Amino acid sequence: MSANDFLPEPLPDNPLPLFTSWFRQARERATQPNPDAMVLATSDTNNTPSARVVLCKLLAESEGYVVFFTNYQSRKGRELTAHPRAAAVFHWDALHRQVRIEGPVVRSPLQESDDYFASRALISRIGAWASQQSQPLKSRAALGEQVEATAARFGVSATASDGHVPRPPHWGGHRLWIDMIELWVEGAGRVHDRAIWTRELSRQDEHSFSAGKWHGTRLNP
């Protein structure tokens, strides 16, 4: 890697355009199967952490949040209801880049959840109703039966290409509002390039925050 591949000097006042550029390049170059995958970490009321991979479906650069969708009754959904703050990591190994973000989490507006749900494949919409996510399951066959029963309930076929299946009330989006972001570029000999930015967020309404100025600094690798 050349010096041009590292973080700018001086650091930008706002890190989000650079994050957006990295995210766009990862998707365009498609050097890994799911370039929009991020590891999402949450915690419960006992401060027990848990992590899993989810897909980032939107990066809202101007406001400064990312969106992912899930079952609100899943483990992560329950934890976010009880402790609405999370951390996430994007790692694009082939591009030698990583992004860490942290911040408060709120649920998406209903229309945002409805619009995305309607864009999903029919089997995924059926599955959102059929799966009691994170709950014990007797067998794989039992899950198949739940899928078939759900399809019959809505008068569609699980193997069809399309059909009307509304969004379950227990399923939808979350917005992770970024108040900390770290950008990382791999360096030779593990002499990486790292920088961190933080900002203050003030709650505006149930879906959004107002944001203060970013403050950035480089970190030792």
Side-chain angles (χ1 to χ4, degrees):
M1 296 179 69
S2 70
N4 292 332
D5 294 315
F6 291 114
L7 298 172
E9 184 67 66
L11 293 173
D13 293 334
N14 181 352
L16 295 181
L18 187 53
F19 178 22
T20 301
S21 175
W22 287 9
F23 186 68
R24 181 174 59 251
Q25 289 176 24
R27 299 184 74 178
E28 290 174 350
R29 297 182 187 182
T31 55
Q32 60 195 62
N34 292 294
D36 51 355
M38 64 182 187
V39 177
L40 178 75
T42 58
S43 60
D44 62 17
T45 54
N46 294 318
N47 294 319
T48 302
S50 62
R52 75 291 289 159
V53 177
V54 299
L55 299 181
C56 173
K57 291 300 181 178
L58 173 67
L59 167 54
E61 177 188 321
S62 59
E63 297 90 346
Y65 63 82
V66 298
V67 178
F68 60 95
F69 294 87
T70 190
N71 185 319
Y72 292 141
Q73 297 173 354
S74 65
R75 178 175 177 177
K76 60 182 172 296
R78 297 194 307 270
E79 290 182 349
L80 288 170
T81 297
H83 189 191
R85 187 174 176 86
V89 182
F90 297 82
H91 185 69
W92 300 299
D93 193 52
L95 301 180
H96 313 285
R97 293 170 176 166
Q98 177 176 281
V99 177
R100 293 198 310 113
I101 58 175
E102 297 175 7
V105 179
V106 295
R107 290 190 182 184
S108 294
L110 295 179
Q111 192 62 55
E112 183 170 78
S113 294
D114 287 342
D115 289 346
Y116 176 69
F117 190 79
S119 73
R120 303 181 87 209
L122 177 62
I123 187 60
S124 297
R125 284 177 275 149
I126 294 171
W129 284 95
S131 172
Q132 299 177 32
Q133 193 171 352
S134 301
Q135 298 302 309
L137 179 66
K138 182 179 179 180
S139 65
R140 181 70 186 179
L143 180 59
E145 293 170 2
Q146 291 169 200
V147 169
E148 291 296 334
T150 300
R153 172 185 171 188
F154 289 106
V156 297
S157 169
T159 59
S161 59
D162 202 7
H164 178 66
V165 177
R167 179 180 64 86
H170 59 263
W171 190 100
H174 284 100
R175 293 177 173 182
L176 193 170
W177 282 78
I178 304 168
D179 63 14
M180 188 289 295
I181 180 169
E182 179 188 307
L183 303 181
W184 176 97
V185 181
E186 183 181 3
R190 306 194 70 80
V191 183
H192 311 308
D193 197 14
R194 294 174 63 193
I196 189 171
W197 290 258
T198 59
R199 64 176 179 173
E200 294 291 331
L201 295 176
S202 300
R203 190 70 175 260
Q204 280 193 313
D205 55 42
E206 62 179 321
H207 305 300
S208 62
F209 294 80
S210 60
K213 181 181 178 180
W214 286 106
H215 300 278
T217 186
R218 265 189 162 80
L219 301 174
N220 277 278

